[in-house]
Amino acid sequence: MNRPLLPRLAAACGIVFPIAMFLAVGNGNNFAPWRAVVSTWALILFLPFLAYLCGLLRTAASDDRWLSSLALVAGTSGILLKLVSHAPELAIHQDHLSKATPLYKALDHTAGAATILCLYPLAIFTAAVAVIVLRERVLPRWLGVFAAIAAAALVINGAFVPALLLFLLWTLVTGVVVLRRTWAASTQIAYAT
């Protein structure tokens, strides 16, 4: 496989993830099997993007490599918690539970709690990215500031700004920036030869 293709695929995963998540969630009022499949695959697609981004951060942060490791672990934890939030919703759908039953309410609250819990590791992830980007300038400075804002919103869960949507937007923008860099890097290599 062509070497520059893998970074492009990883960056493209960072673009597809937030778009697919946004489209799959919809208004969140009713369960649709296609939405569950799309959102699950979107979350899985975040993992290659996360690994590639943390690799970029690791090479840039020579003094503080633990921050890039922290970003990788926190990002993975947050996505896994979000994936876990799908299990109670799937159980509700498979068992055709009525909204009035206590079991439905318990499973629905469990799914909601897992979604809320995923915000904290994602906040640590974006905060670590922000520190490395602002310190090492591996990505544009404004992207580091955007990461810091997303981290703060995730921590307080944005009373006025939906924090998960802000995280999705940050991921989309970061994916575009990283993808553009992979194209620019391959162009520079082609001209150098």
Side-chain angles (χ1 to χ4, degrees), residues 75-146:
T76 304
S77 300
I79 291 303
L80 288 177
L81 277 168
K82 184 59 183 148
L83 273 169
V84 167
S85 76
H86 290 197
E89 293 170 354
L90 185 60
I92 289 170
H93 173 71
Q94 285 181 337
D95 291 340
H96 307 288
L97 297 177
S98 170
K99 287 187 178 186
T101 64
L103 182 57
Y104 174 91
K105 291 178 184 178
L107 289 172
D108 188 51
H109 290 304
T110 301
T115 297
I116 295 298
L117 288 175
C118 87
L119 299 179
Y120 298 110
L122 292 176
I124 293 170
F125 161 69
T126 52
V129 170
V131 168
I132 296 171
V133 168
L134 292 173
R135 217 187 262 173
E136 305 295 334
R137 304 214 177 156
V138 63
L139 294 170
R141 191 171 181 82
W142 61 267
L143 202 53
V145 171
F146 192 4

Side-chain angles (χ1 to χ4, degrees), residues 148-159:
I149 292 168
L154 286 165
V155 168
I156 61 172
N157 195 24

